[in-house]
């Protein structure tokens, strides 16, 4: 009988880990090579799917984001692919470190193990945006995980055998689909293409419309098979529930715990999801794999602390009132709240019937919309006091949400009263499906968000006969009269209302297009003028000191010939010879006005003049430069050429006319330098940075003067962002500002952005923030 010494055991373990690391590094190389070889195919599939989604007529904001993502992935494919390779390599290395830690890493992990029990109490230290990003990634990754389950499972078992794991799990597989989805998200963020499109782009990712991972998994699995690593299904004795465990207080890291009660965790839409705001917490993506689901559970617990139900305490015998319980499905768990009290639901049905029967309501001048928060007023009713605790908590929470709606300055007063009539049916819907507070996809919540967002576009001067007002009011009336207990009514009304908004947007776009085309042409011409400025400047600066530019040429080259060159640059793609001819004519013109002291130079000038004069006249005719100014320039040019042919020495500059020409030439050069440097001086500040993020569809309040406020929408942004076109909802009252001018309006307080985040999400964020402040106090 032989006994192995501890040193030999450690040596064997160390050798096993070295072998495992070597095999996994080989798999990493194959993975990176596979994506590098198919990066073009991957982006092509994604872009085609984005176009298909756009053709399906999504909401205006989502459609714009999908179109933007598609265009940017095509235009900046190289930038994205480089970022993806870097993100994928970093993610794989982090995964490998988590499953094969060094000695120092292992020590740190043991020291932090004791902190796991505090997971449920540390959400206040985690940025809400980070929580939403984790939930978003988890939601998308679930699609890929389910799709590739058959391909990934054998690889997971073999990796478990390679690592000596008793029970291999997907979380210990560094090549699981979630890692690739995370790398895609990080690559998009690192590329800095369009932060506002991040969420819609990620949600659009589908296994069937992106690079097929099945061949990769087959190759990785075959590599381990050739290395002699066999997949063996492990059978373990499950610990009885009655036997205490040292880890009883730790939440299962692999348990699915989405924020909503469904299988997937909906994510509330927030602006700039791809980039955390300044001052927010740092990203926690580095520890996403082991901690993502725990953070989702923390988010649920945090919302529960607002009064939306509490899980039963450990050891609760059921004597108290049960607000919620946990149901286990497979390897995951979801929380199910107690159903609404039938008596209380009947009371709400009577209130709704009364509100639906009332076809009109009176708005008194100066009346506070908050006075119409009937949810807050009804809390003292006996029917509410007799209701279960969870139902009373739902009334309180929804009352705070509608307080936020009534206080929103962007929603016109009349619209607040119209949308406020939804309080009772929305309360019923929130009690039927408690995910109203946990999921942005709740049908009633989406309808409230959409109606509130659309109401921003209505102007009181349009009156109550305006189609938008009529449509919102009719949608509210249908909810009051038709809703009983079927939430699909909210989905149907939302679809109808979204189609109405889409048709309205299409009509406005037809009116906007001519103005947009005009501004697009203007921007292209401005860019061509800037390019001509650079060409003129470079040519003049290249002249030797002993042969300076003739003073009378500077105003001509920086004004008239600049315009000729700009028009040629506009057509350089179709007619490059025109641009070359303009450059050649400029070079010949400058040379022709320089002194000709040698006979061969004068002979060459005589030979060049016919073509030069013909090209100059053709260019000046094209820009319609006529009249005395052209005649004067022509006479001055002819006299210069005659002197260059006849004189053997330069003419001394000692006349008054020569001095005037020199002053005019210097002034022209100064103007050229100012155009090149930009007319607006000063460094960019936070308002410039804000203006750079604006995209189509945003709404603003514009102070025309001290007494007049105009609500407008950013309807079009030029490709170079030098022109931002603002209109009203119908595409009229258009005005254009540059990005720097928009920043100046923001700086002076004449232009203010209307918050585009769905109003229920904003209300819940405010409630959560207030709760955190109270808890901290």
């Amino acid at each position: 009988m032989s006994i192995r010494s501890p040193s030999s055991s450690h040596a064997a373990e160390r050798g096993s880990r070295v072998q495992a690391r070597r095999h996994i590094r080989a798999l990493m190389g194959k993975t990176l090579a596979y994506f590098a070889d198919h990066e073009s195919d991957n982006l092509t599939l994604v872009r085609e799917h984005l176009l298909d989604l756009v053709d399906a007529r999504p909401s205006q904001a989502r459609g714009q984001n999908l179109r933007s993502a598609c265009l940017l992935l095509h235009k900046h494919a190289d930038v994205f692919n480089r970022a993806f390779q870097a993100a994928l390599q970093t993610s794989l290395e982090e995964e490998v470190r988590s499953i094969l830690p060094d000695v120092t890493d292992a020590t740190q992990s043991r020291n932090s193990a004791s902190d796991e029990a505090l997971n449920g109490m540390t959400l206040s230290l985690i940025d809400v945006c980070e929580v939403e990003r984790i939930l978003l990634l988890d939601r998308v990754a679930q699609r890929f995980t389910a799709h590739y389950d058959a391909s990934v499972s054998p690889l997971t078992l073999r990796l478990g055998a390679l690592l000596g794991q008793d029970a291999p799990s997907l979380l210990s597989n560094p090549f699981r689909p979630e890692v690739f989805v995370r790398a895609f998200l990080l690559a998009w963020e690192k590329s800095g293409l369009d932060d506002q499109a991040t969420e819609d782009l990620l949600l659009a990712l589908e296994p069937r419309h992106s690079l097929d991972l099945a061949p990769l998994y087959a190759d990785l699995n075959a590599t381990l098979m050739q290395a002699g690593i066999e997949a063996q299904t492990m059978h373990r004795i499950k610990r009885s529930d009655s036997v205490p465990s040292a880890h009883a207080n730790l939440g299962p890291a692999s348990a699915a715990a989405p924020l909503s009660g469904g299988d997937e965790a909906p994510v509330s839409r927030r602006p700039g999801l791809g980039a955390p705001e300044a001052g927010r917490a740092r990203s926690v993506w580095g520890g996403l794999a082991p901690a993502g689901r725990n953070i989702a559970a923390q988010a649920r617990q945090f919302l529960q602390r607002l009064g939306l139900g509490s899980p039963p305490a450990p050891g609760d015998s059921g004597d108290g009132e049960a607000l919620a319980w946990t149901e286990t499905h497979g390897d995951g768990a979801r929380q199910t709240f107690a159903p609404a009290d039938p008596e209380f639901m009947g009371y709400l049905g009577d209130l709704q019937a009364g509100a639906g029967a009332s076809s009109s309501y009176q708005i008194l001048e100066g009346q506070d919309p908050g006075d119409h928060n009937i949810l807050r007023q009804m809390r003292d009713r006996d029917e509410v006091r007799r209701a279960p605790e969870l139902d009373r908590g739902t009334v309180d929470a929804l009352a705070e949400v509608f307080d936020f709606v009534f206080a929103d300055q962007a929603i016109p007063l009349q619209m607040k009263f119209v949308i406020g009539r939804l309080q009772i049916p929305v309360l019923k819907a929130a009690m039927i499906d408690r995910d109203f507070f946990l999921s942005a996809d709740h049908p009633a919540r989406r309808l409230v968000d959409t109606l509130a967002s659309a109401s921003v576009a209505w102007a009181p001067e349009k009156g109550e006969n305006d189609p938008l007002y009529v449509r919102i009011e009719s949608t509210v009336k249908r909810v009051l009269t038709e809703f009983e207990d079927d939430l699909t009514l909210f989905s149907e009304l939302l679809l109808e209302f979204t189609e109405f908004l889409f048709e309205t947007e299409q009509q406005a776009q037809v009116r906007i297009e001519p103005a947009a085309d005009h501004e697009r042409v203007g921007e292209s011409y401005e860019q061509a003028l800037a390019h001509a400025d650079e060409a003129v400047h470079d040519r003049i600066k290249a002249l030797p000191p002993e042969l300076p530019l003739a003073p009378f040429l500077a105003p001509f080259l920086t004004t008239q010939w600049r315009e000729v060159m700009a028009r040629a640059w506009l057509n350089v793609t179709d007619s490059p010879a025109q641009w070359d001819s303009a450059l050649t004519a400029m070079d010949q013109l400058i040379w022709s006005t320089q002194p000709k002291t040698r006979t061969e130079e004068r002979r060459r000038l005589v030979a060049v003049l016919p073509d030069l004069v013909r090209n100059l006249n053709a260019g000046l005719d094209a820009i319609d430069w006529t009249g005395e100014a052209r005649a004067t320039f022509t006479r001055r040019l002819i006299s210069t050429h005659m002197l260059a042919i006849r004189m053997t020495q330069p003419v001394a500059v000692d006349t008054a006319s020569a001095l005037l020409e020199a002053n005019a030439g210097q002034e022209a050069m100064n103007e050229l330098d100012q155009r090149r440097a930009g007319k607006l001086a000063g460094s960019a500040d936070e308002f410039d940075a804000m203006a750079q993020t604006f995209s189509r569809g945003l709404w603003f309040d514009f102070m025309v003067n001290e007494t007049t406020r105009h609500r407008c929408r950013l309807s079009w942004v030029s490709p170079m962002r030098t022109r931002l076109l603002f209109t009203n909802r119908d595409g009229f009252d258009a005005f254009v500002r540059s990005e720097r001018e928009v920043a100046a309006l923001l700086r002076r307080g004449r232009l203010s952005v209307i918050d585009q985040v769905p109003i229920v999400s904003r209300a819940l964020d405010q409630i959560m923030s207030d709760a955190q402040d109270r808890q901290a106090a």
Side-chain angles (χ1 to χ4, degrees), residues 78-154:
D78 293 339
V79 175
F80 176 84
N81 287 330
R82 287 195 298 269
F84 179 79
Q85 281 289 316
L88 180 57
Q89 182 171 357
T90 301
S91 298
L92 290 174
E93 289 174 350
E94 290 175 353
E95 292 291 332
V96 171
R97 281 197 297 268
S98 69
I99 61 175
L100 284 173
D102 294 333
V103 176
T104 55
D105 295 335
T107 303
Q108 292 173 357
S109 64
R110 285 194 299 269
N111 291 338
S112 62
S114 60
D115 296 335
E116 290 293 328
L118 300 177
N119 278 343
M121 299 301 295
T122 57
L123 186 65
S124 60
L125 303 178
I126 301 173
D127 179 37
V128 175
C129 284
E130 297 295 347
V131 175
E132 293 186 345
R133 289 168 53 155
I134 292 168
L135 295 176
L136 171 64
L137 178 62
D138 183 67
R139 179 180 181 183
V140 177
Q142 285 181 18
R143 307 173 190 165
F144 287 79
T145 301
H147 183 80
Y148 290 109
D149 180 65
S151 302
V152 177
S153 295

Side-chain angles (χ1 to χ4, degrees), residues 217-231:
Y217 287 127
D219 187 20
L220 299 182
N221 198 41
T223 301
L224 293 181
M225 289 178 61
Q226 293 174 2
I229 300 170
E230 296 296 333

Side-chain angles (χ1 to χ4, degrees), residues 603-621:
R603 290 176 179 173
R604 180 187 169 195
L605 175 59
V606 173
V608 165
L609 282 179
D611 287 340
L612 174 60
V613 172
R614 184 167 50 253
N615 290 335
L616 288 176
N617 286 332
L620 297 178
D621 290 342

Side-chain angles (χ1 to χ4, degrees), residues 168-393:
S169 67
L170 184 62
L171 285 177
S172 64
N173 183 347
F175 307 99
R176 63 188 183 277
E178 177 192 352
V179 177
F180 305 135
V181 177
R182 187 198 320 163
F184 191 97
L185 172 60
L186 292 176
W188 175 262
E189 294 175 340
K190 294 295 184 182
S191 301
L193 300 179
D194 186 354
D195 291 338
Q196 293 187 352
T198 302
E199 181 179 354
D200 286 317
L201 170 61
L202 198 66
L203 289 175
L205 293 183
E206 294 283 351
R208 296 184 300 274
H209 302 288
S210 57
L211 182 61
D212 187 9
L213 301 181
L216 172 62
Y217 287 127
D219 187 20
L220 299 182
N221 198 41
T223 301
L224 293 181
M225 289 178 61
Q226 293 174 2
I229 300 170
E230 296 296 333
Q232 297 180 355
T233 304
M234 306 300 295
H235 300 279
R236 303 183 65 190
I237 300 175
K238 183 178 179 181
R239 184 184 297 273
S240 171
D241 293 338
S242 60
V243 179
S245 170
H247 304 285
N249 293 329
L250 299 181
S254 61
L259 182 58
S260 71
D263 296 334
E264 294 185 352
V267 181
S268 61
R269 189 176 297 275
R270 298 175 64 89
L273 181 64
E277 300 173 7
R280 286 191 177 273
R282 294 181 60 188
S283 175
V284 294
W285 282 115
L288 177 61
R293 298 183 187 276
N294 283 340
I295 293 177
Q298 293 171 20
R300 178 191 296 279
Q301 295 169 12
F302 187 77
L303 288 173
Q304 289 167 355
R305 289 202 293 271
L306 298 180
L308 305 181
S310 305
D316 190 353
S317 61
D319 297 335
E321 185 178 36
L323 302 182
W325 59 88
T326 299
E327 294 180 351
T328 301
H329 300 277
D331 62 349
R334 58 169 294 183
Q335 194 167 39
T336 302
F337 290 98
D341 178 58
E343 180 182 353
F344 186 53
M345 289 293 287
Y347 167 68
L348 295 179
D350 294 338
L351 290 179
Q352 177 182 330
S358 176
S359 59
S360 62
Y361 50 92
Q362 183 178 9
I363 302 176
L364 301 178
E365 184 176 357
Q367 186 176 16
D368 184 1
D371 296 339
H372 283 250
N373 192 330
I374 59 178
L375 299 180
R376 192 168 296 286
Q377 299 170 4
M378 64 187 286
R379 290 186 301 180
D380 295 332
R381 298 285 187 92
D382 292 337
E383 293 84 352
V384 179
R385 291 178 176 178
R386 292 196 301 267
E389 180 183 350
L390 179 57
D391 292 346
R392 296 197 306 272

Side-chain angles (χ1 to χ4, degrees), residues 35 38-51 69-70 72-82 84 184 187-188 191 193 201 205 209-211:
F35 278 95
H38 299 85
E39 58 185 17
S40 298
D41 297 336
N42 185 34
L43 287 191
T44 299
L45 291 170
V46 172
R47 290 198 307 268
E48 290 176 351
H49 184 52
L50 294 178
L51 291 176
C70 182
L72 293 173
L73 286 177
H74 175 69
K75 187 176 181 180
H76 303 286
D78 293 339
V79 175
F80 176 84
N81 287 330
R82 287 195 298 269
F84 179 79
F184 191 97
W188 175 262
S191 301
L193 300 179
L201 170 61
L205 293 183
H209 302 288
S210 57
L211 182 61

Side-chain angles (χ1 to χ4, degrees), residues 610-650:
D611 287 340
L612 174 60
V613 172
R614 184 167 50 253
N615 290 335
L616 288 176
N617 286 332
L620 297 178
D621 290 342
I623 65 172
D624 295 328
W625 191 43
T626 59
E628 184 60 28
R630 179 171 174 178
T632 301
F633 172 78
T634 302
R635 287 193 297 269
R636 182 68 179 84
L637 183 61
I638 292 174
S639 65
T640 302
H641 288 160
M642 295 302 293
L643 287 173
I645 294 173
R646 294 175 181 175
M647 302 295 293
T648 59
Q649 296 294 332

